[in-house]
Amino acid sequence: MSIPSRSISSAPAVGTGAPSLLVLRDGGVALTANQQERLLGLVRFRPATTAAGAGWPEAAVPLPSLAGSELTEAWIGVAPARYGSAGTVAYGHDGTVLFACCQQEGGAGELPERVTHRSYRALLDTAREQGYPYLLRVWNYFPDINGELAGLERYQRFSLGRYQALEEAGYRFGSDLPAASAVGSRLDQGYCLYLLAARQPGLQIENPRQVSAYRYPAQYGPRSPSFARATLAEFAGEQLLFVSGTASIAGHASLHQGDPAAQLAETLLNIQTLLDQPTLGCRQDLATLGDAGDFKVYLRHAGHADVVREKLAATLHPESSVIYLEGDICRSDLLLEIEAVIRLR
Ligand code: 3EB
């Protein structure tokens, strides 16, 4: 197996008890043989659909990276991985965690709630059939997220389809929801959804500064967005915190319209507040996480990259990994959103 990207920005210890995320950038080294053996799946951030890889699943996220080069994430498991596919879903799993992705056309004339429902059903069926019913983390990318269709925003239609699929499958909204991100693409490449699921349940975490998304009032859509603010997963004594896409929202209201620096500050306060939750037992803050933190910043306007980079550098530890992608945040008044994967110590 060979992986075309070559450098590793944050290499975890080999033989760690938890799955790990490697960010691969152009111009470095390949995965080690040991890492390749445990490769669950790849996520490629580039504005072109990927041909099916050599066995392992590959999610092609239709958002450009602001680095100007192709970025790839590799999810590495804890034991040798096995691969399979079922219809539109491709997956890799290692006995502890499952990576699965689903690409759908989003066919002409089909409503977003239908495409979303179909994608979730396919992903949930696969996860359950393979023995990984517990959702830890879901990433959702689809075109024209702020556009309106027959009187309802596409994001709200997406939320409808997701809600229905999760409810039908029996997930409980206060305890079983995954962390998530939902970001709009400007490329007409259909729906790209991927997830991590486990054999053991994670812990759903909510944020005291924010109304839980699954309890948002009806002004944000006929069905609330079904996601947790974070999930905490434990693997052989090691803990991974999956922080959902987090934005400048307090209570349920968007704050600081038109001001990227203020939205960033509010967003970071939201993430720090999550980290401070006593249930996490986390003694870290954003400034001290170091290489235990992998961050992903979604920017609506590439032109905001400089101000965001500068302010983020003043808050995060220099060894934390940060990647920047250009995409539309699900509320039109939001300019940015930040997600993270954090190894808790
Ligand atoms: C928010 O907090 C901002 O619908 O899956 C962030 C992360 C947001 C995930 C989703 C939406 C989602 O409501 C938007």
Side-chain angles (χ1 to χ4, degrees), residues 284-302:
Q284 302 287 344
D285 57 38
L286 288 170
T288 60
L289 279 175
D291 66 2
D294 275 279
F295 295 84
K296 196 178 291 159
V297 180
Y298 301 97
L299 289 181
R300 182 182 294 279
H301 303 297

PDB file of all heavy atoms in Angstrom, residues 284-302:
ATOM      1  N   GLN A 284      -6.437  20.446  31.156  1.00  0.00           N
ATOM      2  CA  GLN A 284      -5.786  21.231  30.109  1.00  0.00           C
ATOM      3  C   GLN A 284      -6.654  22.414  29.701  1.00  0.00           C
ATOM      4  O   GLN A 284      -7.864  22.377  29.864  1.00  0.00           O
ATOM      5  CB  GLN A 284      -5.576  20.349  28.877  1.00  0.00           C
ATOM      6  CG  GLN A 284      -4.750  19.112  29.121  1.00  0.00           C
ATOM      7  CD  GLN A 284      -3.289  19.423  29.305  1.00  0.00           C
ATOM      8  OE1 GLN A 284      -2.845  20.520  28.968  1.00  0.00           O
ATOM      9  NE2 GLN A 284      -2.540  18.479  29.849  1.00  0.00           N
ATOM     10  N   ASP A 285      -5.996  23.419  29.163  1.00  0.00           N
ATOM     11  CA  ASP A 285      -6.770  24.409  28.434  1.00  0.00           C
ATOM     12  C   ASP A 285      -6.193  24.502  27.026  1.00  0.00           C
ATOM     13  O   ASP A 285      -5.220  23.825  26.698  1.00  0.00           O
ATOM     14  CB  ASP A 285      -6.823  25.756  29.166  1.00  0.00           C
ATOM     15  CG  ASP A 285      -5.451  26.307  29.436  1.00  0.00           C
ATOM     16  OD1 ASP A 285      -4.572  26.160  28.559  1.00  0.00           O
ATOM     17  OD2 ASP A 285      -5.254  26.876  30.512  1.00  0.00           O
ATOM     18  N   LEU A 286      -6.827  25.330  26.203  1.00  0.00           N
ATOM     19  CA  LEU A 286      -6.438  25.361  24.799  1.00  0.00           C
ATOM     20  C   LEU A 286      -4.968  25.710  24.621  1.00  0.00           C
ATOM     21  O   LEU A 286      -4.319  25.259  23.686  1.00  0.00           O
ATOM     22  CB  LEU A 286      -7.321  26.365  24.040  1.00  0.00           C
ATOM     23  CG  LEU A 286      -8.768  25.900  23.837  1.00  0.00           C
ATOM     24  CD1 LEU A 286      -9.630  27.037  23.298  1.00  0.00           C
ATOM     25  CD2 LEU A 286      -8.812  24.696  22.896  1.00  0.00           C
ATOM     26  N   ALA A 287      -4.430  26.505  25.549  1.00  0.00           N
ATOM     27  CA  ALA A 287      -3.042  26.952  25.408  1.00  0.00           C
ATOM     28  C   ALA A 287      -2.029  25.876  25.774  1.00  0.00           C
ATOM     29  O   ALA A 287      -0.860  25.995  25.418  1.00  0.00           O
ATOM     30  CB  ALA A 287      -2.815  28.197  26.273  1.00  0.00           C
ATOM     31  N   THR A 288      -2.475  24.846  26.509  1.00  0.00           N
ATOM     32  CA  THR A 288      -1.499  23.861  26.986  1.00  0.00           C
ATOM     33  C   THR A 288      -1.669  22.477  26.357  1.00  0.00           C
ATOM     34  O   THR A 288      -0.915  21.564  26.676  1.00  0.00           O
ATOM     35  CB  THR A 288      -1.597  23.708  28.518  1.00  0.00           C
ATOM     36  OG1 THR A 288      -2.917  23.267  28.852  1.00  0.00           O
ATOM     37  CG2 THR A 288      -1.317  25.024  29.224  1.00  0.00           C
ATOM     38  N   LEU A 289      -2.657  22.313  25.487  1.00  0.00           N
ATOM     39  CA  LEU A 289      -2.921  20.985  24.917  1.00  0.00           C
ATOM     40  C   LEU A 289      -1.748  20.441  24.121  1.00  0.00           C
ATOM     41  O   LEU A 289      -1.525  19.234  24.073  1.00  0.00           O
ATOM     42  CB  LEU A 289      -4.140  21.040  23.992  1.00  0.00           C
ATOM     43  CG  LEU A 289      -5.499  20.982  24.659  1.00  0.00           C
ATOM     44  CD1 LEU A 289      -6.578  21.166  23.603  1.00  0.00           C
ATOM     45  CD2 LEU A 289      -5.691  19.660  25.392  1.00  0.00           C
ATOM     46  N   GLY A 290      -1.028  21.332  23.478  1.00  0.00           N
ATOM     47  CA  GLY A 290       0.109  20.885  22.676  1.00  0.00           C
ATOM     48  C   GLY A 290      -0.306  19.928  21.583  1.00  0.00           C
ATOM     49  O   GLY A 290      -1.372  20.100  20.968  1.00  0.00           O
ATOM     50  N   ASP A 291       0.497  18.869  21.353  1.00  0.00           N
ATOM     51  CA  ASP A 291       0.190  17.972  20.246  1.00  0.00           C
ATOM     52  C   ASP A 291      -0.960  17.024  20.572  1.00  0.00           C
ATOM     53  O   ASP A 291      -1.279  16.141  19.774  1.00  0.00           O
ATOM     54  CB  ASP A 291       1.436  17.201  19.796  1.00  0.00           C
ATOM     55  CG  ASP A 291       1.940  16.241  20.858  1.00  0.00           C
ATOM     56  OD1 ASP A 291       1.303  16.140  21.938  1.00  0.00           O
ATOM     57  OD2 ASP A 291       2.970  15.585  20.613  1.00  0.00           O
ATOM     58  N   ALA A 292      -1.606  17.202  21.721  1.00  0.00           N
ATOM     59  CA  ALA A 292      -2.798  16.405  22.036  1.00  0.00           C
ATOM     60  C   ALA A 292      -4.033  16.966  21.341  1.00  0.00           C
ATOM     61  O   ALA A 292      -5.107  16.371  21.418  1.00  0.00           O
ATOM     62  CB  ALA A 292      -3.020  16.363  23.546  1.00  0.00           C
ATOM     63  N   GLY A 293      -3.916  18.092  20.670  1.00  0.00           N
ATOM     64  CA  GLY A 293      -5.071  18.703  20.029  1.00  0.00           C
ATOM     65  C   GLY A 293      -4.920  18.791  18.512  1.00  0.00           C
ATOM     66  O   GLY A 293      -3.889  19.239  18.012  1.00  0.00           O
ATOM     67  N   ASP A 294      -5.940  18.315  17.800  1.00  0.00           N
ATOM     68  CA  ASP A 294      -6.018  18.473  16.344  1.00  0.00           C
ATOM     69  C   ASP A 294      -7.244  19.316  16.033  1.00  0.00           C
ATOM     70  O   ASP A 294      -8.368  18.904  16.347  1.00  0.00           O
ATOM     71  CB  ASP A 294      -6.179  17.110  15.656  1.00  0.00           C
ATOM     72  CG  ASP A 294      -4.855  16.436  15.413  1.00  0.00           C
ATOM     73  OD1 ASP A 294      -4.194  16.788  14.426  1.00  0.00           O
ATOM     74  OD2 ASP A 294      -4.491  15.563  16.231  1.00  0.00           O
ATOM     75  N   PHE A 295      -7.035  20.450  15.401  1.00  0.00           N
ATOM     76  CA  PHE A 295      -8.130  21.390  15.146  1.00  0.00           C
ATOM     77  C   PHE A 295      -8.370  21.525  13.648  1.00  0.00           C
ATOM     78  O   PHE A 295      -7.450  21.405  12.841  1.00  0.00           O
ATOM     79  CB  PHE A 295      -7.788  22.769  15.727  1.00  0.00           C
ATOM     80  CG  PHE A 295      -7.682  22.758  17.221  1.00  0.00           C
ATOM     81  CD1 PHE A 295      -6.499  22.379  17.850  1.00  0.00           C
ATOM     82  CD2 PHE A 295      -8.779  23.085  18.012  1.00  0.00           C
ATOM     83  CE1 PHE A 295      -6.403  22.343  19.237  1.00  0.00           C
ATOM     84  CE2 PHE A 295      -8.689  23.054  19.401  1.00  0.00           C
ATOM     85  CZ  PHE A 295      -7.493  22.678  20.012  1.00  0.00           C
ATOM     86  N   LYS A 296      -9.620  21.803  13.323  1.00  0.00           N
ATOM     87  CA  LYS A 296      -9.993  22.057  11.934  1.00  0.00           C
ATOM     88  C   LYS A 296     -10.861  23.295  11.938  1.00  0.00           C
ATOM     89  O   LYS A 296     -11.862  23.357  12.661  1.00  0.00           O
ATOM     90  CB  LYS A 296     -10.756  20.859  11.381  1.00  0.00           C
ATOM     91  CG  LYS A 296     -10.883  20.817   9.870  1.00  0.00           C
ATOM     92  CD  LYS A 296     -11.615  19.552   9.435  1.00  0.00           C
ATOM     93  CE  LYS A 296     -10.755  18.319   9.690  1.00  0.00           C
ATOM     94  NZ  LYS A 296     -11.565  17.078   9.773  1.00  0.00           N
ATOM     95  N   VAL A 297     -10.451  24.272  11.155  1.00  0.00           N
ATOM     96  CA  VAL A 297     -11.175  25.539  11.085  1.00  0.00           C
ATOM     97  C   VAL A 297     -11.874  25.625   9.734  1.00  0.00           C
ATOM     98  O   VAL A 297     -11.231  25.451   8.693  1.00  0.00           O
ATOM     99  CB  VAL A 297     -10.199  26.730  11.226  1.00  0.00           C
ATOM    100  CG1 VAL A 297     -10.955  28.057  11.157  1.00  0.00           C
ATOM    101  CG2 VAL A 297      -9.395  26.628  12.520  1.00  0.00           C
ATOM    102  N   TYR A 298     -13.170  25.866   9.750  1.00  0.00           N
ATOM    103  CA  TYR A 298     -13.922  26.105   8.521  1.00  0.00           C
ATOM    104  C   TYR A 298     -14.173  27.600   8.409  1.00  0.00           C
ATOM    105  O   TYR A 298     -14.697  28.205   9.349  1.00  0.00           O
ATOM    106  CB  TYR A 298     -15.267  25.384   8.550  1.00  0.00           C
ATOM    107  CG  TYR A 298     -15.169  23.888   8.720  1.00  0.00           C
ATOM    108  CD1 TYR A 298     -15.308  23.306   9.979  1.00  0.00           C
ATOM    109  CD2 TYR A 298     -14.939  23.054   7.621  1.00  0.00           C
ATOM    110  CE1 TYR A 298     -15.233  21.926  10.140  1.00  0.00           C
ATOM    111  CE2 TYR A 298     -14.859  21.675   7.777  1.00  0.00           C
ATOM    112  CZ  TYR A 298     -15.011  21.120   9.036  1.00  0.00           C
ATOM    113  OH  TYR A 298     -14.922  19.759   9.195  1.00  0.00           O
ATOM    114  N   LEU A 299     -13.783  28.183   7.292  1.00  0.00           N
ATOM    115  CA  LEU A 299     -13.980  29.620   7.075  1.00  0.00           C
ATOM    116  C   LEU A 299     -14.916  29.851   5.901  1.00  0.00           C
ATOM    117  O   LEU A 299     -14.739  29.266   4.829  1.00  0.00           O
ATOM    118  CB  LEU A 299     -12.640  30.288   6.734  1.00  0.00           C
ATOM    119  CG  LEU A 299     -11.607  30.424   7.845  1.00  0.00           C
ATOM    120  CD1 LEU A 299     -10.375  31.122   7.289  1.00  0.00           C
ATOM    121  CD2 LEU A 299     -12.177  31.209   9.026  1.00  0.00           C
ATOM    122  N   ARG A 300     -15.890  30.741   6.132  1.00  0.00           N
ATOM    123  CA  ARG A 300     -16.783  31.090   5.022  1.00  0.00           C
ATOM    124  C   ARG A 300     -16.040  31.911   3.972  1.00  0.00           C
ATOM    125  O   ARG A 300     -16.261  31.748   2.775  1.00  0.00           O
ATOM    126  CB  ARG A 300     -17.985  31.881   5.560  1.00  0.00           C
ATOM    127  CG  ARG A 300     -18.991  32.254   4.492  1.00  0.00           C
ATOM    128  CD  ARG A 300     -20.134  33.082   5.056  1.00  0.00           C
ATOM    129  NE  ARG A 300     -20.956  32.329   5.994  1.00  0.00           N
ATOM    130  CZ  ARG A 300     -21.918  31.480   5.646  1.00  0.00           C
ATOM    131  NH1 ARG A 300     -22.186  31.252   4.371  1.00  0.00           N
ATOM    132  NH2 ARG A 300     -22.632  30.866   6.571  1.00  0.00           N
ATOM    133  N   HIS A 301     -15.168  32.808   4.454  1.00  0.00           N
ATOM    134  CA  HIS A 301     -14.426  33.677   3.531  1.00  0.00           C
ATOM    135  C   HIS A 301     -12.927  33.435   3.684  1.00  0.00           C
ATOM    136  O   HIS A 301     -12.360  33.677   4.758  1.00  0.00           O
ATOM    137  CB  HIS A 301     -14.709  35.146   3.821  1.00  0.00           C
ATOM    138  CG  HIS A 301     -16.173  35.506   3.752  1.00  0.00           C
ATOM    139  ND1 HIS A 301     -16.898  35.390   2.583  1.00  0.00           N
ATOM    140  CD2 HIS A 301     -17.033  35.948   4.690  1.00  0.00           C
ATOM    141  CE1 HIS A 301     -18.155  35.755   2.814  1.00  0.00           C
ATOM    142  NE2 HIS A 301     -18.268  36.093   4.087  1.00  0.00           N
ATOM    143  N   ALA A 302     -12.287  33.001   2.607  1.00  0.00           N
ATOM    144  CA  ALA A 302     -10.840  32.764   2.663  1.00  0.00           C
ATOM    145  C   ALA A 302     -10.106  34.030   3.099  1.00  0.00           C
ATOM    146  O   ALA A 302      -9.053  33.966   3.729  1.00  0.00           O
ATOM    147  CB  ALA A 302     -10.342  32.297   1.293  1.00  0.00           C
TER     148      ALA A 302
END
